[in-house]
Amino acid sequence: MHEKEPGVAKSLCIAAVITGVLMLFILVIILAFSAGRGNSESLYDKDDPILELDVDTFGPAIYGSKKAHFVEFYSSWCGACIGYAPTFKKFAKQLEKWTPIVQVTVVNCADDKNMPLCREHSVNSYPSLRYFKYNSATKDDGMKYSGDKYDINKLAHDIAGLAQADAQKQNPESWPTFLPLSDASTLEDVFKSLGTTPYLAVIVQDSPSVIAWSNLINYYGNNGLKVAYVGQKHQIASKFFSDEGVHALLFSNGNAEPMWKSSSPIEKWMDVQEKIEELIGDKIAAKSPTIQPMNAAPVIAAPSNPLNNQYEVQLVDLKSAMSYMLYKEIPRREEIRDEPLAALKQWMHTLKKYAPGTTPMRRLFFRLDEWVQLRSVVTANEWLAQVDEIQQSLGNPLPKEITWMACAGSKPNLRGYTCGLWTLAHSITVEAYKQEKHNTAFKPVIDVLEPFRAFIFHFLSCSECAQNFTKEAEKNQLHLVTRAEDVYAWLWRVHNFVNKRLSGSLTDDPSFKKQQFPPKSLCPDCYDLNGEIDEAKALPFVFKYYSNIKTDPSETLPGYKVVEYKEGKTQSAGQRHLNPKFQIHAGKVDQLEANEKVKNVLDASPQRTWQDIDGYDNIPEGSRSHYYFIWLSLIGVALIVVYCKYRKNRSKFWKTFYYQNDFKLCPWSSSPVKQNIV
């Protein structure tokens, strides 16, 4: 029995080691998955012929590359980006064969790790398209595309034009020359140059020959087909076409009679490709280039919580909206100045007065407003540093980690910030009415609504959403709002118009459909017999609803537990809460900030006031330093004399002299008592 124990122990040790290794391996896989996943869901998947990059892979892929890159900077929560994704996917599919020359690429700026990259490239709105030339070296080589991004045919033509210009300047070895056939070239000359290539396509187009360039790129490197092009006055064009316009011919090598000749002018480069694929596609088929995903990772949709009411005004949603606004949306650009800065100042001033939330949250905006009003230019780094400094001084009232409750969508890129921003705006308008309903000087447009519109226009990264909101403001006559109660009523009406327009669109969350507020499930009395909203009943409901900010149940209120003991046994226990300033809408912050300033001044540099003694205040300012020097000199001399006397009194000789001669340091001091010295 004892002889088997070493073997058993050895087996147990081996099993323990194997188990530990497996657990370590699983942990590494989980961490790698978590790191790769990021904070937001991509709008594109592995089946799309699109290269998705991030802050780590962007530089190695773009800079120094022997191909050009056409990059979409997008935000996965942006409604315009969600709506544009199908169009961009179709565009990328059409340009799939262009990959050796031009790579279609995307970057998700909603991912926290990519924010520095997007800020570096001054991506102020989404979606934003950039063309990075062959052998790009810096961010400055990225050219912003300002054309119609929804016209994917023209988009392809424009990219072909950019690539052609790039080729003329840099003459890349691995690119086509983009040069037309010489005027002296004949079909026989071109056939001789083909070698064993079985087919030839000739496109007739004067410069800019974007349809020809597009097909040059599309079929470059294909061993079964060569694409060439000529101007409309070329002898090949004159032989086959008498009318003007873009035309195309398809030949088999050595046969002067075309297999296909366009019967009418061509408007799209895809028309040529489709005809070629129809006639000889199976004979010239080439394997599509494989796009290797860089830092690809599976994405899991965030589960929705059916227990959360999508309309609730949750404090955690307000906090997350404020945090995302301060840390992500505002510092997207490297520098804020001019109109955007003016809009930012107005919005911060509105938040200073009417921001919902706890006292520390509102003190944060109070201090931000005071700081930003004095600035003529604000950089992203300065803004972030100031927000962090104020956050730390107030105990970090806003979270760095974004969490959505009532605004959570069925996917990470649905609802979220836009829902939180709407909720914040409604809460602000309601709070403004509470404070100003009896104030005749209150101007709803100037004090609240226009600052919000201007902030959305300049700082909402979803550019189309921002532009649409300005259109809604004009359509709903923002400038005519004058009554105090209309400050929240106007925004409520506009939000319902927006929900009606976007209902059923790609941005609509299938689990939380956009509908009119309040829905019948919340306020059945808010609807008349015809099923239409009755404003007279709905507006009081809206005011009350957005006044009721619910505390996030996942966060315990600031407090502490009190337990009473007697003879080692628990007698009672209870929960007590801290100062009521941590409650929502607890008091004004103006006086708190004023008191804080006084306290900081006294603590940092305590002062003492000189009194007017013997006409000191009448001494000229320039002469006071001389008086200081004289007095200090006299004090110094007196101290030296006293010290010397003290040293002498300690010596035996001086003591003898002192006791025998009744020496006194000062004439008025009393005589010392005589003592015998032993």
Side-chain angles (χ1 to χ4, degrees):
M1 184 71 179
H2 292 288
E3 293 178 358
K4 295 182 179 181
E5 286 182 357
V8 173
K10 184 177 181 180
S11 299
L12 290 174
C13 289
I14 294 174
V17 171
I18 293 174
T19 303
V21 171
L22 288 175
M23 291 181 68
L24 181 61
F25 177 75
I26 293 172
L27 179 61
V28 169
I29 293 297
I30 292 173
L31 291 175
F33 173 78
S34 301
R37 177 182 171 186
N39 296 326
S40 54
E41 185 179 61
S42 173
L43 298 182
Y44 304 96
D45 54 49
K46 61 181 181 180
D47 296 327
D48 299 317
I50 296 173
L51 177 65
E52 182 142 18
L53 301 175
D54 60 24
V55 67
D56 299 319
T57 57
F58 186 88
I62 301 291
Y63 302 140
S65 175
K66 302 309 177 185
K67 64 173 72 173
H69 288 78
F70 191 68
V71 184
E72 180 203 11
F73 291 92
Y74 75 96
S75 175
S76 55
W77 60 259
C78 166
C81 300
I82 296 172
Y84 184 62
T87 301
F88 200 69
K89 289 180 180 182
K90 183 179 179 181
F91 166 74
K93 187 66 177 176
Q94 290 183 357
L95 268 62
E96 187 171 8
K97 294 180 181 179
W98 294 30
T99 299
I101 309 298
V102 180
Q103 173 69 67
V104 179
T105 312
V106 293
V107 174
N108 184 7
C109 294
D111 194 331
D112 288 348
K113 68 181 293 186
N114 294 333
M115 285 298 296
L117 173 66
C118 300
R119 186 181 303 124
E120 178 188 0
H121 287 81
S122 301
V123 182
N124 299 328
S125 59
Y126 309 121
S128 181
L129 304 177
R130 308 286 174 92
Y131 175 83
F132 286 84
K133 65 181 183 180
Y134 169 91
N135 201 29
S136 289
T138 68
K139 63 181 180 63
D140 297 327
D141 289 328
M143 180 186 300
K144 185 175 182 179
Y145 181 76
S146 302
D148 184 359
K149 58 180 174 288
Y150 288 95
D151 186 348
I152 58 176
N153 178 66
K154 186 176 186 306
L155 183 57
H157 290 176
D158 291 342
I159 293 175
L162 291 170
Q164 185 269 347
D166 203 359
Q168 296 305 306
K169 290 180 180 179
Q170 303 195 66
N171 193 26
E173 294 182 1
S174 56
W175 282 30
T177 60
F178 289 94
L179 296 175
L181 296 176
S182 66
D183 293 339
S185 297
T186 64
L187 270 178
E188 290 73 18
D189 295 333
V190 180
F191 287 149
K192 289 179 182 179
S193 68
L194 292 180
T196 59
T197 302
Y199 297 100
L200 168 69
V202 178
I203 298 173
V204 180
Q205 185 179 23
D206 288 336
S207 184
S209 311
V210 291
I211 292 178
W213 297 335
S214 298
N215 281 281
L216 269 173
I217 297 172
N218 193 60
Y219 289 105
Y220 181 71
N222 190 306
N223 295 325
L225 174 71
K226 178 180 179 180
V227 176
Y229 73 99
V230 296
Q232 291 182 352
K233 294 182 179 180
H234 194 278
Q235 57 179 311
I236 296 177
S238 301
K239 180 179 179 180
F240 293 97
F241 303 104
S242 58
D243 62 325
E244 295 182 353
V246 182
H247 285 281
L249 298 160
L250 181 62
F251 300 91
S252 60
N253 194 348
N255 190 344
E257 287 298 317
M259 300 174 58
W260 167 71
K261 181 179 75 169
S262 60
S263 58
S264 59
I266 296 170
E267 296 181 355
K268 302 177 182 178
W269 80 274
M270 285 289 295
D271 294 341
V272 178
Q273 185 202 38
E274 288 172 0
K275 197 62 181 180
I276 291 175
E277 295 300 320
E278 176 188 336
L279 296 174
I280 59 173
D282 57 334
K283 299 176 182 178
I284 63 169
K287 186 178 180 181
S288 299
T290 302
I291 299 176
Q292 296 295 335
M294 305 184 74
N295 198 30
V299 178
I300 299 176
S304 60
N305 187 348
L307 298 178
N308 288 332
N309 189 312
Q310 72 180 104
Y311 297 109
E312 285 182 347
V313 184
Q314 285 281 355
L315 180 61
V316 69
D317 290 330
L318 294 175
K319 286 183 176 181
S320 293
M322 292 174 176
S323 179
Y324 196 91
M325 175 181 68
L326 296 180
Y327 282 106
K328 302 296 190 298
E329 288 288 89
I330 292 175
R332 278 184 296 107
R333 60 193 82 196
E334 289 187 317
E335 198 173 77
I336 306 171
R337 59 169 67 242
D338 303 328
E339 286 188 19
L341 181 58
L344 180 61
K345 290 180 178 181
Q346 292 176 358
W347 181 233
M348 287 299 111
H349 196 65
T350 298
L351 287 168
K352 167 189 174 180
K353 294 189 290 185
Y354 309 120
T358 62
T359 299
M361 291 167 62
R362 290 180 293 129
R363 292 179 74 176
L364 168 65
F365 290 109
F366 188 99
R367 297 184 186 183
L368 269 178
D369 175 64
E370 287 197 329
W371 177 79
V372 78
Q373 297 300 335
L374 302 176
R375 312 287 294 189
S376 58
V377 178
V378 176
T379 67
N381 290 334
E382 288 173 344
W383 174 266
L384 291 171
Q386 187 66 22
V387 173
D388 276 336
E389 180 181 335
I390 299 175
Q391 276 264 86
Q392 292 173 10
S393 67
L394 294 172
N396 295 299
L398 297 183
K400 285 288 188 73
E401 183 177 350
I402 305 301
T403 303
W404 304 112
M405 288 196 64
C407 283
S410 59
K411 293 182 178 181
N413 62 303
L414 296 178
R415 305 185 77 224
Y417 176 62
T418 50
C419 168
L421 193 59
W422 275 114
T423 305
L424 175 62
H426 285 300
S427 300
I428 287 172
T429 57
V430 167
E431 180 62 23
Y433 177 64
K434 284 182 183 178
Q435 294 186 29
E436 311 290 358
K437 58 184 175 182
H438 300 303
N439 181 7
T440 56
F442 174 61
K443 294 179 173 57
V445 175
I446 296 175
D447 294 337
V448 180
L449 297 177
E450 175 56 25
F452 179 62
R453 186 212 63 79
F455 175 77
I456 292 298
F457 183 79
H458 289 287
F459 289 95
L460 185 64
S461 54
C462 178
S463 58
E464 290 184 26
C465 306
Q467 294 169 9
N468 286 335
F469 185 76
T470 293
K471 292 177 182 177
E472 291 288 354
E474 295 173 354
K475 180 180 176 182
N476 289 275
Q477 300 179 314
L478 172 63
H479 63 285
L480 296 181
V481 177
T482 55
R483 299 186 306 171
E485 58 267 30
D486 285 338
V487 70
Y488 72 90
W490 183 88
L491 189 69
W492 165 71
R493 294 189 192 102
V494 170
H495 196 178
N496 272 343
F497 287 139
V498 172
N499 279 345
K500 185 176 182 179
R501 176 169 54 84
L502 296 179
S503 180
S505 67
L506 292 173
T507 63
D508 200 2
D509 192 323
S511 299
F512 303 97
K513 290 289 186 179
K514 297 184 187 298
Q515 53 185 310
Q516 299 300 284
F517 183 86
K520 289 184 179 180
S521 58
L522 284 179
C523 183
D525 295 336
C526 294
Y527 288 78
D528 59 22
L529 296 177
N530 297 322
E532 300 294 330
I533 293 180
D534 184 351
E535 285 200 4
K537 296 180 179 179
L539 284 174
F541 178 86
V542 171
F543 177 80
K544 182 178 179 181
Y545 199 86
Y546 283 103
S547 299
N548 181 23
I549 299 178
K550 299 186 177 181
T551 304
D552 175 12
S554 68
E555 291 183 347
T556 56
L557 290 173
Y560 54 94
K561 188 175 182 180
V562 177
V563 181
E564 294 183 2
Y565 296 93
K566 186 176 181 180
E567 297 179 355
K569 296 182 180 180
T570 302
Q571 296 295 313
S572 62
Q575 186 76 15
R576 294 183 182 177
H577 297 289
L578 299 178
N579 193 299
K581 73 177 183 178
F582 292 102
Q583 302 300 321
I584 299 171
H585 294 311
K588 301 285 186 180
V589 299
D590 305 61
Q591 190 59 46
L592 290 173
E593 287 297 310
N595 295 340
E596 183 81 9
K597 285 183 180 179
V598 173
K599 177 179 177 295
N600 290 340
V601 169
L602 292 176
D603 289 346
S605 55
Q607 302 292 320
R608 298 294 180 265
T609 303
W610 288 91
Q611 294 181 353
D612 184 8
I613 301 177
D614 295 333
Y616 174 79
D617 287 340
N618 296 323
I619 298 174
E621 186 69 27
S623 302
R624 292 184 180 180
S625 59
H626 298 291
Y627 284 93
Y628 287 141
F629 177 75
I630 293 172
W631 279 107
L632 290 174
S633 299
L634 291 174
I635 293 172
V637 171
L639 289 174
I640 293 173
V641 171
V642 171
Y643 178 74
C644 291
K645 293 292 185 180
Y646 169 73
R647 294 289 298 176
K648 289 181 179 181
N649 282 336
R650 294 185 63 184
S651 65
K652 185 175 180 181
F653 170 80
W654 185 256
K655 287 180 180 179
T656 303
F657 179 81
Y658 173 75
Y659 287 114
Q660 291 180 358
N661 296 280
D662 293 334
F663 175 82
K664 293 182 280 295
L665 179 62
C666 300
W668 56 84
S669 61
S670 58
S671 299
V673 179
K674 300 266 182 157
Q675 295 182 5
N676 294 326
I677 299 176
V678 180

